[in-house]
Amino acid sequence: MTKIECVILDWAGTTVDYGCFAPVGAFLRMFRQFHLDVTTAQIRRSMGLAKIDHIRTIMNDADMTKQFLTNYSRQWFESDIVKMNEYFEQYLFETLREFARPLPYVLETAERLRGRGIKIGSTTGYTEAMMQIVCVEAAAQGYHVDHLETPDTFSGGRPSPFMIFRNMERLKIDSVKKIVKVGDTIADIREGYHAGCFSIGIIEGSSELGLSLEEFIQTTPDKIEIKKRNIAKRMFDAGADYVLNNISELPDCIEKIEQKITGKTAPYLLLTPGPLSTTQTVKEVMLQDWCTWDTDYNEGVVTVIRDKLLKLASETPNNLTTVLLQGSGTYVVEAVLNSTVRNSDHLLIVTNGVYGDRMIKIADKAALPYTVLRGKIEQPISSESIREKLQTDSSITHVAFVHCETTTGILNPLEQISETVKSFDKLLVVDAMSSFGGIPIDVEKLNIDFLISSANKCIQGVPGFAFIIAKTEKMKQIKGIARTLSLDIYDQWETMNQGKGKWRFTSPTHVVRAFAQALLELEQEGGIAARYKRYVENERRLYEGMKKIGYTPFLPQDFQSPIITSFLYPKENFSFEDFYYRLKANGVVIYPGKISDIETFRIGTIGEVYPEDISFLLELIQSLSGN
Ligand SMILES: *Cc1c(COP(=O)(O)O)cnc(C)c1O
């Protein structure tokens, strides 16, 4: 894998001397000495060049040549330039020490880069003698580089790339593709461009912007915005690959560059319960655009999905139907509750976690008639408690609960609950968002009326829609109940049936196409039974492995789903944030998760995740725990 190994930073205007004022002051004084009028803008235009080259460039302006001729009654010669440079140097040396203060974010950024094993080289338009002063002063304030090249020791000044090459040689970097050059002037950008490395411009504190820190703070944001846009355009025109506001954005930019070099689209493995890690092939099928009004899409993609979902829902899906709806899982839970519960009905919401509680919020918002049966968060829902409730309150018509509570990872007893609810002949709504496709469920045999799941959980698609598996007969009976237009599942179902796969309103085409691919890959894996086996092995390995390292799972293994597992924070010396970012830096992302007032974090075991990935994670955690 190719990584950026070296950052070459410019000095004045980039890492020290905010606004690059030291040379500007010295130039103005020197030209005044020679009775030549020059503007700051004129000076800044060529900033970044070796200073003697800079003076010559300014003197080559027609206006300067004319002024010189008027003052001295002759043309200027190279000896004049040398003399001017002597004065310039003298003036610069007088003030240089005051202009060596590191810019904001420079110290932290240098530390972050070094933490990632990146070397820091540097180039400048200053001479070696000038840099001796600047380096000593900057080092006293905490900033130093691994190597410095100045243009006076050989004829290698900007915009030629030779100072960069010398850095490479000294720092043992074997390819320009492993180098990022950062600077604040057009000459800097050209230097990087000519070297063939990544060339990055910085705006705040730059000579191009030409403002002191106080002026920058006092300028209104919209004025700054216009200036920034102009500078960025000039830098891009000069060949910049990226233009940043300030140097603190550099580490993220390097990450972006590395992703681009490696062509890696997922810089980390998601061990989360959705969105989750998907296969390259699922991602790739999204690279096509679709029209939604003819058969290619509606029959070729949507209808195929609906048929396959029914086959996944039951061995004998004779009385089942399915409908897909735009939005995340919550949208479709809201759609189902709003489309099935009449004002004359009475919904019982059974909850032992955040997602059960979300149904309460949904019922509240829609002013649905409902009652809550609350279980303990660390215990599976008891079907016995539901039985008691249904016995004592005969007005209840609907029961809704969550199969796998993703809050803790607990698995609620679907079979017992559906048996109980059905023995009272109530309508059953199951949020099987995080379990359908990963845990075998026979919707027909279990007599479930409405089951909800989403594209980005165990089927391993990408986020953008969710779906409902329902009894056809029950679906037919809910016409006109919905209190909402876009979340009316009957209407959506009817349109999808009559239009042979047509969606009401814009369909998330790319997501739907990815889902079709995900279903194909589920079949190739061996169906839900095989996927379940993999998830179970992932979870078992995680549960046992974490215990061995010294982490305590929140739930006993008996209550645990293979979907996601919660762990208590260790009692001592634990910062979740630190833990999280160290894992992420090593390519793995886990899931935060506070359960009421118990501090826990969660690790998902679903998605394109294999037992080897869990072993890798465990090794990583072990090494971070220092055991
Ligand atoms: C993911 C999930 C949902 C839906 O969450 P969204 O963020 O809306 O996709 C609902 N219920 C459970 C159990 C879930 O795991």
Side-chain angles (χ1 to χ4, degrees):
M1 194 168 101
T2 313
K3 274 199 140 350
I4 295 300
E5 295 177 4
C6 176
V7 167
I8 295 183
L9 300 173
D10 168 56
W11 283 82
T14 303
T15 51
V16 298
D17 185 6
Y18 197 103
C20 200
F21 280 96
V24 173
F27 276 126
L28 286 172
R29 212 176 139 195
M30 177 274 287
F31 282 117
R32 221 178 297 130
Q33 180 73 27
F34 284 82
H35 308 289
L36 297 168
D37 284 334
V38 65
T39 64
T40 307
Q42 223 172 334
I43 291 170
R44 287 198 182 276
R45 203 173 303 139
S46 308
M47 194 66 83
L49 297 180
K51 297 309 165 203
I52 191 159
D53 296 340
H54 192 162
I55 295 168
R56 195 180 306 107
T57 308
I58 292 174
M59 287 309 294
N60 270 325
D61 280 359
D63 159 63
M64 295 300 281
T65 302
K66 206 169 121 200
Q67 280 192 53
F68 192 96
L69 194 63
T70 315
N71 288 354
Y72 298 94
S73 309
R74 65 169 172 87
Q75 280 193 326
W76 59 264
F77 303 117
E78 183 62 20
S79 57
D80 296 306
I81 302 295
V82 171
K83 198 153 173 205
M84 286 179 183
N85 192 44
E86 278 165 15
Y87 275 92
F88 167 77
E89 290 196 354
Q90 185 198 325
Y91 297 147
L92 185 71
F93 278 119
E94 285 172 18
T95 59
L96 207 46
R97 202 169 307 262
E98 300 152 37
F99 291 100
R101 181 179 309 146
L103 260 58
Y105 313 117
V106 167
L107 302 186
E108 306 85 291
T109 304
E111 197 172 315
R112 277 176 72 191
L113 295 173
R114 287 200 168 100
R116 288 160 60 161
I118 294 175
K119 292 172 185 161
I120 299 180
S122 67
T123 63
T124 178
Y126 284 169
T127 62
E128 197 173 3
M130 295 170 193
M131 285 313 293
Q132 265 164 15
I133 297 174
V134 175
C135 285
V136 168
E137 202 53 40
Q141 303 191 40
Y143 178 62
H144 69 281
V145 296
D146 302 321
H147 188 67
L148 162 71
E149 281 294 334
T150 60
D152 54 319
T153 53
F154 69 120
S155 56
R158 294 165 185 158
S160 78
F162 303 115
M163 290 193 291
I164 291 181
F165 296 153
R166 283 196 162 192
N167 270 274
M168 287 177 68
E169 195 186 328
R170 298 301 296 273
L171 295 171
K172 299 190 169 49
I173 308 295
D174 60 14
S175 163
V176 286
K177 289 297 158 211
K178 297 175 180 173
I179 289 189
V180 162
K181 164 73 209 301
V182 183
D184 69 306
T185 63
I186 299 302
D188 279 289
I189 303 292
R190 296 303 289 165
E191 179 190 25
Y193 177 80
H194 289 146
C197 64
F198 295 94
S199 193
I200 298 181
I202 298 240
I203 299 181
E204 290 169 18
S206 70
S207 178
E208 288 292 310
L209 192 59
L211 301 175
S212 69
L213 187 52
E214 293 75 48
E215 287 166 337
F216 176 75
I217 292 165
Q218 281 159 15
T219 310
T220 58
D222 46 331
K223 274 203 190 128
I224 292 279
E225 215 33 62
I226 293 167
K227 282 177 192 281
K228 278 186 172 178
R229 230 176 292 144
N230 287 334
I231 295 169
K233 183 175 181 319
R234 282 206 302 280
M235 287 180 165
F236 282 124
D237 287 348
D241 295 290
Y242 297 92
V243 176
L244 309 178
N245 289 309
N246 59 59
I247 205 164
S248 73
E249 296 169 6
L250 184 58
D252 282 350
C253 182
I254 289 177
E255 209 162 277
K256 237 195 281 177
I257 289 172
E258 286 176 345
Q259 280 172 32
K260 221 161 119 181
I261 303 173
T262 56
K264 221 170 83 173
T265 48
Y268 35 69
L269 182 74
L270 292 172
L271 294 178
T272 54
L276 36 65
S277 297
T278 56
T279 61
Q280 190 63 28
T281 35
V282 162
K283 288 187 272 269
E284 275 166 9
V285 295
M286 288 190 284
L287 293 173
Q288 190 191 325
D289 301 318
W290 295 83
C291 63
T292 53
W293 48 88
D294 67 23
T295 54
D296 284 1
Y297 179 72
N298 291 332
E299 288 184 31
V301 182
V302 181
T303 302
V304 171
I305 287 174
R306 293 180 78 205
D307 291 346
K308 283 190 178 178
L309 278 178
L310 289 185
K311 291 205 181 85
L312 290 180
S314 175
E315 279 175 21
T316 53
N318 304 326
N319 303 308
L320 297 180
T321 187
T322 181
V323 59
L324 320 182
L325 187 65
Q326 298 93 327
S328 81
T330 304
Y331 288 61
V332 181
V333 175
E334 185 150 28
V336 169
L337 294 183
N338 272 284
S339 302
T340 58
V341 181
R342 292 180 180 81
N343 288 337
S344 55
D345 290 331
H346 186 180
L347 167 69
L348 177 68
I349 299 171
V350 191
T351 174
N352 62 339
V354 165
Y355 293 96
D357 290 355
R358 194 172 291 173
M359 290 194 195
I360 300 173
K361 282 189 194 154
I362 288 169
D364 234 14
K365 280 273 177 204
L368 303 178
Y370 74 95
T371 299
V372 175
L373 178 60
R374 189 173 288 284
K376 285 201 177 109
I377 196 150
E378 70 281 4
Q379 297 227 314
I381 291 171
S382 131
S383 58
E384 203 41 49
S385 70
I386 297 177
R387 179 183 304 281
E388 280 165 23
K389 187 75 198 170
L390 293 177
Q391 263 162 357
T392 52
D393 190 346
S394 63
S395 73
I396 290 166
T397 52
H398 294 52
V399 177
F401 79 102
V402 176
H403 181 207
C404 170
E405 243 309 345
T406 320
T407 325
T408 53
I410 205 164
L411 197 61
N412 287 317
L414 178 55
E415 287 183 28
Q416 292 169 27
I417 294 173
S418 74
E419 205 179 294
T420 305
V421 172
K422 284 298 147 180
S423 71
F424 286 85
D425 199 23
K426 309 298 182 191
L427 187 135
L428 179 61
V429 175
V430 181
D431 169 350
M433 209 70 71
S434 59
S435 55
F436 185 81
I439 299 177
I441 300 171
D442 194 312
V443 181
E444 176 109 9
K445 284 200 186 120
L446 288 173
N447 228 331
I448 298 165
D449 297 296
F450 292 89
L451 176 140
I452 306 147
S453 190
S454 94
N456 64 286
K457 305 252 173 159
C458 296
I459 309 276
Q460 299 185 188
V462 302
F465 75 92
F467 56 89
I468 299 148
I469 314 270
K471 277 191 195 149
T472 313
E473 173 208 340
K474 291 288 163 61
M475 187 68 92
K476 283 180 183 159
Q477 290 168 4
I478 61 166
K479 182 172 182 170
I481 297 180
R483 298 150 183 80
T484 101
L485 175 71
S486 57
L487 296 183
D488 184 337
I489 64 170
Y490 178 85
D491 242 24
Q492 179 87 347
W493 177 71
E494 197 179 42
T495 304
M496 219 165 248
N497 280 351
Q498 287 172 357
K500 294 196 172 62
K502 185 161 171 35
W503 297 55
R504 292 176 314 157
F505 321 132
T506 304
S507 152
T509 47
H510 301 72
V511 173
V512 172
R513 180 61 189 87
F515 190 73
Q517 176 65 22
L519 282 171
L520 188 69
E521 291 177 15
L522 174 58
E523 281 164 35
Q524 286 163 352
E525 186 173 352
I528 292 176
R531 183 157 291 179
Y532 174 66
K533 223 172 124 193
R534 171 163 65 90
Y535 288 174
V536 166
E537 175 56 21
N538 285 349
E539 201 282 329
R540 191 199 61 78
R541 208 177 269 210
L542 177 72
Y543 196 95
E544 293 307 320
M546 287 293 278
K547 267 193 355 197
K548 258 194 209 134
I549 301 173
Y551 287 87
T552 310
F554 177 70
L555 294 174
Q557 179 70 285
D558 291 353
F559 296 169
Q560 184 62 55
S561 70
I563 308 299
I564 187 167
T565 307
S566 300
F567 296 94
L568 302 178
Y569 281 10
K571 288 203 178 61
E572 278 157 29
N573 297 332
F574 184 77
S575 148
F576 175 73
E577 189 160 307
D578 193 45
F579 184 64
Y580 176 90
Y581 282 106
R582 285 165 78 183
L583 288 177
K584 191 172 174 194
N586 284 284
V588 185
V589 168
I590 64 167
Y591 208 55
K594 203 175 151 97
I595 300 170
S596 49
D597 13 297
I598 309 159
E599 300 271 29
T600 60
F601 61 86
R602 294 177 279 181
I603 300 179
T605 38
I606 59 177
E608 181 64 0
V609 173
Y610 293 85
E612 307 85 82
D613 298 313
I614 302 299
S615 296
F616 171 74
L617 170 78
L618 290 168
E619 274 169 36
L620 204 58
I621 292 179
Q622 174 104 46
S623 73
L624 295 184
S625 309
N627 293 339

